[in-house]
Amino acid sequence: MTSTAPEALHGHDAGDKPPSWPQRLRRFGHVPRPVTGLRERLVPPYTRPSERLWAVLGVPPRLAERMIRWSAWGGPLLVALVAGVLRFWNLGSPKAVIFDETYYAKDAWALINQGYEGSWPKDIDTSILKDPSSVPVPTDPGYVVHPPVGKWVIGLGEYFFGFNPFGWRFMVAVLGTLSVLLLCRIGRRLFRSTFLGCLAGALLAVDGLHFVMSRTALLDLVLMFFVLSAFGCLLIDRDWARRRLAAALPLDEAEGVLRPDRAVAENLRLGRRPWRLAAGLMLGLAFATKWNGLYILAAFALMAVFWDVSARRTAGAVRPYLAVLRRDVVPAFFSTVPVAIVTYVATWTGWIVTDKGYFRNWAETAGKGGYFTWLPDWLRSLWHYENEVYSFHVNLTSGHTYQSNPWSWIVLGRPVSYFYEDPEAGTDGCPASTVGKCAREVLAIGTPLLWWAGAFALCYVLYRWFFRRDWRAGAIACAVAAGWVPWFLYQERTIFLFYAVVFVPFLCLAVTMMIGAIVGPAGSDERRRTIGAVGAGVLVLLIIWNFIYFWPLYTGTAIPLDSWRNRMWLDTWV
């Protein structure tokens, strides 16, 4: 008697297997993710425009190749040129000392002339605007509550162009323009796309808060520039380390692909990492501009360590955390933290070499005795000064008309008015045909549609990070959190929306990442990409239109009072 196999009863051979879930889902349009090789996972290639696009545009293949090669720098430089023209146009207007320029412009002038900040007389701003050459630099030391780097930067513009609004805004405008160029290149490296990189830079170029801060002699734009530079240095270092790992991994000659190797992944020494040293220098300059750069230093240092963990895991490490602890943590620490601290102290050189700076002689007078007399007097005096400044900052709770809670920043709940005048018709740029008065205002507010889109983009970035393990989303989220979250710890402190400029570039990266998702992934059908491109294009054009609409509020251009009221979209903006 013969037995019947169960497989035969069910109508298929013993070697058959039931279809997998991805195979079943294909019937409903599911497209599985393409399998990426190890080399591509360690060092992803840059995307290239499709040959069909060049054919539609009628560009010959040789010219197309040349355009692709030159666009890596040509595109970012073009975007930066547009941003620079916008920022330098009529930079000296309004011819006034607006908002906190009354502190930093004068402190910068004193630093450039004597190496330390002076104690300026009250109501001296009018005399400075009228005839700066008639105003002497005070020799009595002034009590200042921010480190000197930002003021040295502002003072450099004053040194070349004079003690006037154009002079003290010049270098800030330079850094604002360069930050657009940096973001284009950073976005290109992050997304492996020249188009998306240039889009990120273009969004930053038309952000109102970044624009206003680029035309105002305050410290926060300078801080943002050094933070963005540090992020870019770490991004280059990440690529360099992963290329080093890829070069050391064994190659399967039969298939021509890299193979993971535990011994290489866990034991390879990555050697000197100059870009990490450069990041430490940039973070030190950030910390030496404003103290909240210290939070960013800590966040970026941890991010860089996790990047090393990911690289070694991808290369085949079974215990990547232990490998990083043995091979990378100590070099990473000494490449960033000590470098940043030494940089910070070095920026106080002007105060150290003089004997007239505020608290400069504290150790020799009121600070005699104690356990640390073996330290140099200048170092003990500097420590005392820093301690006093810290007490000032944490106890700064006096109310201000334009203060805001960090919770409201992302929706632009309470912008800051830097300058306001209401000229009569026919004066100060107010058209003679105007009925009633005009309004001239410089309002520190982001481009509303960009920021409101940014709120959704941050949610998308968090989704990509938590559920798709997208390291790019994690990097963007880390940078935004480093510039934003620490302010929630100081709910009683007087803080302002313009502090948020430090994370604006990363908000633009988040919006760019969301726009890339709207356009659709590579390999999508033509209908999907067309609909996505139209939707993304409409969003970008609306953001640009929004920037143009608010242009008078960013530049202090006189407009009729009714036009000004039409731009006050929220009651809290007045």
Side-chain angles (χ1 to χ4, degrees), residues 205-258:
V206 297
D207 174 62
L209 184 60
H210 184 273
F211 178 81
V212 171
M213 297 300 289
S214 298
R215 293 168 53 89
T216 312
L218 270 65
L219 304 180
D220 300 85
L221 193 284
V222 181
L223 169 66
M224 181 278 303
F225 175 80
F226 290 128
V227 169
L228 185 61
S229 299
F231 184 86
C233 290
L234 290 175
L235 200 60
I236 297 174
D237 174 76
R238 179 185 185 274
D239 282 355
W240 182 91
R242 294 171 80 90
R243 280 197 300 268
R244 177 81 174 85
L245 279 168
L249 289 174
L251 181 66
D252 188 328
E253 296 182 0
E255 299 184 15
V257 296
L258 290 182

Side-chain angles (χ1 to χ4, degrees), residues 107 110 114 116-122 136-143 358:
D107 287 344
Q114 62 191 17
Y116 64 93
E117 296 91 338
S119 179
W120 292 84
K122 292 183 178 180
V137 178
T139 56
D140 291 337
Y143 177 62
Y358 204 86

Side-chain angles (χ1 to χ4, degrees), residues 315-361:
V318 176
R319 297 180 178 179
Y321 286 96
L322 181 59
V324 168
L325 184 63
R326 291 172 52 218
R327 301 295 185 191
D328 301 322
V329 167
V330 173
F333 174 82
F334 283 103
S335 297
T336 51
V337 177
V339 171
I341 293 174
V342 170
T343 301
Y344 179 86
V345 175
T347 62
W348 283 88
T349 300
W351 179 88
I352 293 170
V353 299
T354 183
D355 60 353
K356 295 182 179 180
Y358 204 86
F359 280 135
R360 176 61 183 83
N361 300 312

Side-chain angles (χ1 to χ4, degrees), residues 480-532:
V480 172
W484 187 11
V485 171
W487 293 110
F488 290 95
L489 304 176
Y490 302 99
Q491 291 290 313
E492 301 301 322
R493 191 181 182 279
T494 306
I495 52 181
F496 302 92
L497 170 66
F498 64 82
Y499 294 171
V501 74
V502 72
F503 64 79
V504 165
F506 307 102
L507 187 67
C508 292
L509 287 174
V511 175
T512 301
M513 192 172 188
M514 182 180 71
I515 289 175
I518 292 173
V519 172
S524 300
D525 61 76
E526 185 175 349
R527 182 172 179 272
R528 166 69 179 85
R529 294 297 291 264
T530 301
I531 295 174

Side-chain angles (χ1 to χ4, degrees), residues 151-201:
K151 289 166 282 186
W152 280 112
V153 170
I154 294 169
L156 187 61
E158 293 174 332
Y159 177 80
F160 287 110
F161 299 100
F163 193 26
N164 55 67
F166 182 85
W168 61 62
R169 294 170 190 162
F170 177 81
M171 281 304 299
V172 184
V174 169
L175 296 189
T177 303
L178 289 178
S179 65
V180 172
L181 176 62
L182 279 177
L183 190 64
C184 289
R185 294 288 298 177
I186 286 170
R188 178 180 183 273
R189 185 175 290 270
L190 189 70
F191 300 123
R192 287 313 201 245
S193 167
T194 300
F195 171 75
L196 290 181
C198 290
L199 176 60

